[in-house]
Amino acid sequence: MLKADVVIIGSGGAGARAAVEVARRGLKPLILTKGKMGRSGATVAAIADFEVDSRSATEILGLRGDPRDSKEKFFEDTLAAGGYLNNQKILERHVNEIPEIARELLEQGLKVAPELSQAPGQSYPRSVITTGARLVRVLHKMCREAKVAVYEHFMATDLVKKDDRVVGVVGLDLSTGQFVEIAARAVILATGGGMQMYRYTTAPDELTGDGHAMAFRAGATFVDLEMIQFMGGVMLAPPAVEGICFGFTLCADVNPLGCWLLNKFGVRFMEAVDPLHKEFVTRDKLALAIATEVFEGRGTERGGVYLSVSHLPRQVVDNYPQHKNVPWLSPDWEMYGFSFKQIMEEAKAGQALEIGVASHFFCGGVRVDENGFTGIPGLYAAGEVTGGTQGGNRLSGNALTQVLVQGRAAGTAAAAFARTVGFGDFPRGLSGFAGRVYAPLERRGISPFEMRKALQKLCWEKLGVVRTEQSLQCLLEQLAAYKKELPHVGCRAKNRVYNREWMEALQLENLITLAELVAMSALQRRESRGVHYRRDFPAANYGAFTMNNILENKEGRVAARFEPVVATRVAPPGEDANHG
Amino acid sequence: MGEKKTVRVKVFRFDPAADREPHYDTFELEAQKGFSIYNALEYIVENLDPTLAFYASCRIGACMGCLARVNGKVVRTCTTMLEEDVVIEPVKKEQVMRDLVVKGRPLPEDILQA
Ligand SMILES: Cc1cc2nc3c(=O)[nH]c(=O)nc-3n(C[C@H](O)[C@H](O)[C@H](O)COP(=O)(O)OP(=O)(O)OC[C@H]3O[C@@H](n4cnc5c(N)ncnc54)[C@H](O)[C@@H]3O)c2cc1C
Ligand code: FES
């Protein structure tokens, strides 16, 4: 058995920042990561910006911003964007602590643009522009200096409890195929979102909701899990560029080309959706409009719409990347290391691009308090796996701010707890956990790859941007059938070392658990708010639903209920807001 | 994007625990336009040989997790298109965990001994 004072599951921004904090408090942290440190998770994939109120960014970080801004205004904007579902205690730490955390990162060498940018929904420029890769590099330097231990290619499969307390983690060492037990005084969950639940996603491969499923099995509570942000305007083909938001850049981002979006009948549907702005709308609006076309049967076979430049003179298209108005697009049509030149040549010749929506960010998640405490002694959580910071929707850049603030907070709280307790009694004979891990390897049966694909398609169709009572019920029925089939999922590959099919089988079980949780949550919120759109209840109902959607594990079954939001500073709107 | 042609993908295979020597396996694939080496590896695992090991994460050229040697040159497999016959090898053959996956960093002693 291995042992560390605080075990952190996940090596993204939240996990890395938490580990540094634990080490600084004189305790031994161990990061477990399914992938490689710095080469897994959404943090490194971000383009990226994080948010700091403009005044602090000016005074503390020395960046060019607008000193009229304040932490209070940053708080209010985030709350309004979140549909007033945010946990205000968490949000207070979010706006108050980021300046100091950012100052340290800059001191440690993080390179950022000298001037702040202003994102939609932010009253002032607050976006500190950098890249995920740079951020991760600095965080890892801090981890190295703090002597943080890292266990790479380790897939955590379960949290281990003794009585009511979490006393460790078990999982699969992918490099040996061995089941490993790790004792800890405290555990921090930092496994990121579960975007792989969907057919199309902007997010990395390993984000399969393992943390959500582990937490559920260990009895954790979830908040507003239905709030999943989708990105509109991503490429659906060809395969290499799937999930890249090139279409959004062309038609709706900072400096659009002026493309038309057409449904499969050739109708320019945005003219009806927003006669004034047409294609030039926000991400959310674009995602909903595209998803509605698809939902109503006017989408392409892949489940998207066409992006056409046929109405434009060729010169206008050729000139577009030359203007250099889009920082991440090269004059030669390169974006993210991909060349879109050929695709644009074909577009000029009349071959439309096929674009659609893709899962992007989990606003809801494991319920924590402002210290990252889950309510289960010994278990903390930070980053995208948690809910509460963003409420019902997220403003650009607010995810990385969340990750950094919560990482530090959870590291602090977990270390303080670990100091007061010994290692718990690690239960003997965890054959149940080990058996569950080895089972798919030992049997033959349904291909986990096939079943994952079917599940992703199903979630995309029934639990995507557009949801109805009927689509959700239908999904839940199908999920029940999948659960029955799970014991028949097996691997053709029998090798133990880095067996992708085996990993897939374990992830599949987690994805099914997550899909059920999200569906139950979406079913219960009979209104539309934030990123949650119920076609059968298309308006927000402030009187009835300005509440947090809570899910609990009641003897293995999902129990749903509502709870009042945590409001310390701003009273959330009630019934009156429905009419005005 | 419908044009298809058959290409040969030759992949380095090695399981240090079981094999004395590395060997190469060759797979024939239909290459389409806009089909990356990463897409090819994923296709092979899901359809032709589930025992093939490779590592990737973001698929969008950002994480550098998918680095491999393609025809002798270290590239990101997710942003490199499959257009012709290729030989795919790990970045560091001496540190292979399995096939194209390179070993992770070693665990510190004090955690192992506990
Ligand atoms: C393409 C893209 C662009 C984005 N751009 C921005 C932006 O500009 N600004 C912004 O604020 N936000 C952005 N976001 C969102 C933001 O990047 C994420 O919300 C944030 O990085 C999440 O950080 P995290 O530490 O919580 O999780 P992640 O960084 O996702 O890390 C999760 C970690 O958990 C590990 N893990 C998962 N399961 C297991 C398991 N079973 N066992 C062990 N380890 C496990 C993974 O290997 C990984 O290391 C973007 C997201 C994407 C996908
Ligand atoms: S998978 Fe991240 S760079 Fe290729």
Side-chain angles (χ1 to χ4, degrees):
Chain A
M1 189 193 302
L2 308 185
K3 225 173 186 182
D5 292 325
V6 180
V7 165
I8 297 125
I9 313 177
S11 64
R17 190 61 192 81
V20 168
E21 208 55 36
V22 170
R24 284 183 181 167
R25 278 149 214 276
L27 293 172
K28 229 174 246 137
L30 170 65
I31 291 182
L32 308 175
T33 180
K34 188 158 68 163
K36 290 186 194 174
M37 179 92 174
R39 295 184 174 191
S40 66
T43 308
V44 65
I47 291 311
D49 56 324
F50 62 87
E51 308 297 290
V52 180
D53 76 273
S54 222
R55 184 192 296 166
S56 303
T58 314
E59 289 172 0
I60 299 177
L61 307 179
L63 303 176
R64 278 201 299 282
D66 187 333
R68 288 172 302 173
D69 194 12
S70 66
K71 289 174 180 157
E72 289 70 29
K73 292 203 183 86
F74 180 22
F75 181 99
E76 285 159 20
D77 284 349
T78 305
L79 192 63
Y84 298 89
L85 298 179
N86 322 50
N87 177 321
Q88 296 187 21
K89 283 190 184 166
I90 298 180
L91 198 49
E92 294 216 24
R93 289 195 74 164
H94 183 86
V95 302
N96 286 335
E97 296 182 15
I98 189 62
E100 185 50 33
I101 293 173
R103 189 191 56 74
E104 191 192 359
L105 289 170
L106 266 58
E107 246 174 44
Q108 294 282 339
L110 180 69
K111 289 211 166 45
V112 304
E115 187 156 3
L116 299 173
S117 299
Q118 186 165 354
Q122 302 279 21
S123 313
Y124 292 95
R126 293 182 184 129
S127 306
V128 180
I129 306 285
T130 180
T131 69
R134 284 189 210 154
L135 178 62
V136 157
R137 224 174 292 139
V138 171
L139 285 170
H140 290 184
K141 185 184 113 192
M142 288 162 69
C143 280
R144 261 197 318 277
E145 284 168 5
K147 300 209 162 39
V148 172
V150 183
Y151 197 160
E152 292 183 314
H153 298 299
F154 184 95
M155 178 176 182
T157 55
D158 268 299
L159 301 162
V160 178
K161 278 170 89 175
K162 174 71 184 172
D163 303 324
D164 279 337
R165 179 184 154 200
V166 168
V167 294
V169 179
V170 291
L172 180 62
D173 181 337
L174 299 167
S175 63
T176 60
Q178 266 165 6
F179 178 76
V180 178
E181 302 177 347
I182 307 174
R185 296 175 205 262
V187 173
I188 302 174
L189 201 60
T191 47
M195 283 69 74
Q196 286 291 334
M197 213 171 95
Y198 293 97
R199 166 67 185 88
Y200 293 102
T201 179
T202 62
D205 285 356
E206 68 279 355
L207 300 180
T208 50
D210 302 352
H212 300 84
M214 270 185 270
F216 180 71
R217 290 194 287 269
T221 306
F222 291 82
V223 59
D224 298 334
L225 201 51
E226 72 281 14
M227 299 298 180
I228 297 173
Q229 192 175 50
F230 288 81
M231 178 78 97
V234 303
M235 300 291 291
L236 301 188
V241 295
E242 241 180 46
I244 292 187
C245 54
F246 183 63
F248 182 72
T249 295
L250 289 191
C251 69
D253 218 342
V254 276
N255 275 301
L257 171 60
C259 316
W260 286 359
L261 294 185
L262 307 173
N263 65 23
K264 77 169 170 195
F265 302 112
V267 176
R268 192 180 173 197
F269 56 92
M270 292 306 292
E271 285 182 323
V273 174
D274 190 331
L276 187 62
H277 303 97
K278 304 193 178 76
E279 284 81 3
F280 188 43
V281 293
T282 59
R283 267 185 212 178
D284 308 17
K285 205 163 183 180
L286 191 70
L288 181 57
I290 295 172
T292 301
E293 287 304 299
V294 176
F295 193 89
E296 292 176 357
R298 295 185 297 275
T300 64
E301 206 155 297
R302 284 195 182 86
V305 297
Y306 297 119
L307 183 154
S308 166
V309 299
S310 291
H311 59 290
L312 295 171
R314 287 157 161 266
Q315 293 93 323
V316 170
V317 179
D318 287 335
N319 290 343
Y320 177 72
Q322 311 294 332
H323 300 323
K324 297 196 184 136
N325 285 335
V326 183
W328 50 89
L329 186 66
S330 87
D332 209 24
W333 292 107
E334 252 195 44
M335 180 165 154
Y336 298 176
F338 293 92
S339 172
F340 286 91
K341 199 177 162 94
Q342 182 68 30
I343 289 173
M344 291 314 292
E345 282 304 318
E346 287 167 3
K348 283 189 297 182
Q351 172 84 28
L353 279 64
E354 209 173 327
I355 64 155
V357 299
S359 61
H360 184 57
F361 179 82
F362 271 51
C363 302
V366 174
R367 180 158 77 165
V368 288
D369 67 10
E370 66 278 18
N371 303 312
F373 179 50
T374 62
I376 301 174
L379 184 64
Y380 297 79
E384 198 177 329
V385 72
T386 72
T389 306
Q390 316 289 353
N393 198 356
R394 168 178 76 95
L395 297 174
S396 169
N398 246 344
L400 291 175
T401 298
Q402 170 187 351
V403 157
L404 292 166
V405 172
Q406 281 189 312
R408 186 173 79 160
T412 308
F417 174 79
R419 280 219 168 277
T420 64
V421 294
F423 283 91
D425 239 347
F426 203 87
R428 298 275 140 211
L430 293 173
S431 54
F433 286 138
R436 218 172 52 76
V437 170
Y438 284 119
L441 184 70
E442 282 159 5
R443 60 185 177 231
R444 279 178 172 277
I446 305 167
S447 155
F449 298 125
E450 307 269 301
M451 197 158 158
R452 188 245 300 153
K453 281 186 186 155
L455 175 75
Q456 287 172 324
K457 183 164 179 287
L458 188 75
C459 287
W460 202 60
E461 285 168 4
K462 310 285 184 205
L463 188 55
V465 178
V466 180
R467 301 157 178 186
T468 67
E469 190 91 13
Q470 204 191 1
S471 78
L472 296 169
Q473 292 292 5
C474 166
L475 175 75
L476 284 167
E477 271 167 40
Q478 191 59 46
L479 287 175
Y482 282 156
K483 276 205 224 165
K484 286 212 186 91
E485 284 178 11
L486 258 179
H488 306 290
V489 168
C491 302
R492 285 170 299 157
K494 297 297 178 196
N495 57 295
R496 295 208 161 192
V497 176
Y498 212 83
N499 181 332
R500 289 183 68 101
E501 196 180 28
W502 186 11
M503 252 163 95
E504 189 78 56
L506 298 174
Q507 292 174 165
L508 178 65
E509 184 172 352
N510 293 335
L511 282 172
I512 291 174
T513 302
L514 178 62
E516 186 183 358
L517 291 170
V518 177
M520 290 289 286
S521 218
L523 197 59
Q524 181 168 251
R525 189 175 287 283
R526 292 188 169 82
E527 65 156 355
S528 295
R529 183 185 315 223
V531 290
H532 172 69
Y533 178 71
R534 280 287 299 258
R535 203 176 147 88
D536 38 1
F537 301 96
N541 184 342
Y542 288 97
F545 290 112
T546 305
M547 307 259 267
N548 288 132
N549 201 344
I550 304 292
L551 299 180
E552 271 175 332
N553 183 341
K554 285 256 163 24
E555 276 123 39
R557 299 182 66 93
V558 188
R561 65 187 156 80
F562 280 105
E563 255 184 29
V565 297
V566 179
T568 48
R569 202 188 280 175
V570 179
E575 182 68 39
D576 297 351
N578 287 351
H579 316 290
Chain B
M1 259 151 248
E3 277 173 49
K4 286 186 182 167
K5 86 174 191 206
T6 304
V7 293
R8 292 157 65 85
V9 179
K10 191 170 155 186
V11 190
F12 178 93
R13 305 298 303 268
F14 186 43
D15 178 356
D19 307 340
R20 289 247 302 283
E21 297 276 316
H23 68 280
Y24 289 81
D25 280 339
T26 302
F27 303 93
E28 294 209 338
L29 259 68
E30 297 264 296
Q32 322 148 37
K33 258 187 215 160
F35 193 76
S36 66
I37 305 272
Y38 161 84
N39 293 141
L41 293 171
E42 190 178 44
Y43 181 86
I44 293 170
V45 171
E46 292 180 3
N47 300 284
L48 306 175
D49 182 353
T51 67
L52 174 66
F54 72 96
Y55 179 80
S57 171
C58 73
R59 312 179 314 277
I60 59 170
C63 74
M64 303 294 154
C66 66
L67 294 184
R69 218 171 270 281
V70 175
N71 293 341
K73 219 173 110 192
V74 176
V75 297
R76 288 171 289 183
T77 58
C78 70
T79 59
T80 307
M81 298 305 127
L82 177 67
E83 282 159 345
E84 46 173 13
D85 293 355
V86 286
V87 182
I88 310 176
E89 297 169 306
V91 174
K92 290 185 189 137
K93 282 190 199 162
E94 3 21 288
Q95 289 179 31
V96 167
M97 177 209 294
R98 187 189 166 89
D99 302 339
L100 302 174
V101 184
V102 173
K103 283 186 192 136
R105 55 187 88 183
L107 274 180
E109 291 292 311
D110 52 346
I111 284 179
L112 284 173
Q113 279 168 3

